Amino acid sequence: MASSRNISLVILICIFASSSYQATSLISRDHIMSMKHEKWMSQYNRYYESKEEKVKRFKIFKYNVDYIESFNRVGTHTYQLGINQFADMTSEEFLAKYTGNSMPSFQSSPVAPFKYENVKDVPPSLDWREKNAVTPVQSQGPCGSCWAFSAVAAIEGIVQIKSGVLTSLSEQQIIDCDGAFDGCQGGRMEKAFEFVERNGGLASDTDYPYQTMEGVCSTNTPSSLAASITGIGGVPQNNETAMLMAVANQPISVGIDPSLFQFYRSGVLTGECGTNRTHAITAVGYGTSEDGIKFWLFKNSWGPWWGEDGYIRIQRDVDVVEGMCGLAMDLTYPIA
Ligand SMILES: *[C@@H]1O[C@H](CO)[C@@H](O)[C@H](O)[C@H]1NC(C)=O
Ligand SMILES: *[C@@H]1O[C@H](CO)[C@@H](O)[C@H](O)[C@H]1NC(C)=O
């Protein structure tokens, strides 16, 4: 009698112990994720307005972290993802807030055809940063101003190449003053170039700093316009050979499909990508990776903590003429 009672007690204890073990492991997985979320929140200074918002953001964070970790566990990708400042946003929210290139329309400004005779030398690899033609990476923040950042990086490049002086120039002056309906709602690079040409120059970032929102055009015209351009050029579409010659000549503004960009951390982006070019970046070089993949080097405007210190490398010379993510479809540059 006594012994059978003991057995049933042992069984009960075992069941209890094992179910409590399972519960603990579930709780601790969520607990670990929740600690990760808290740590991430303090790292990126994120606060949520309400408990409901936090619960919602935690769910998205967990989904994204699971996706990023399982992507990185596959050993065969040519690039890696990272848990960055965009980890609590869905892909739709992210694209809506952090991109902002309008597709070129028939109203686009006329651009001068690309002058191949300008291209003196096309080396096998090139990095305009090494030639001091690229300013530090900035963050556009939640404002669809990528088009202004893309254009300004190209202007900074050609001005440095012509004059030897590298100055960080003002995106904000373009956003506030170009008189178009764009600003944080998205815009076009050639409209930015057109404004700088019409305005007789562009202020420095120091004189007209970035605000992450569209403001009133400052009537206090900055005393010195730091840089000017004389025209706008376009590279023939869908031809990475022509693009190579253009980038060998100067940094180029590029419209691109950003759908694979949100969690990019490092490596050369390869694989399936669309051509919905809602984002704009600046081509500042090209080369071949250690494992033999030809790439383009682009400066982005999502801060230095995104990608490779703010830059992304994307596969070059793919077998579709539009280029990876449509990178050969929408190429413009300023003429100094
Ligand atoms: C692409 O551009 C290169 C360089 O100008 C040119 O030689 C080539 O014919 C172009 N290819 C096509 C398909 O237009
Ligand atoms: C292009 O991307 C935008 C922003 O993410 C989206 O609203 C739109 O539906 C996309 N268009 C196509 C054709 O996929």
Side-chain angles (χ1 to χ4, degrees), residues 114 116 236-243 245 321:
F114 184 66
Y116 293 98
Q237 262 202 320
N238 301 340
N239 185 336
E240 286 188 83
T241 307
M243 180 173 171
M245 297 177 81
V321 291

Side-chain angles (χ1 to χ4, degrees), residues 216-239:
V216 179
C217 182
S218 170
T219 47
N220 286 335
T221 310
S223 49
S224 62
L225 292 172
S228 61
I229 62 170
T230 60
I232 309 164
V235 181
Q237 262 202 320
N238 301 340
N239 185 336

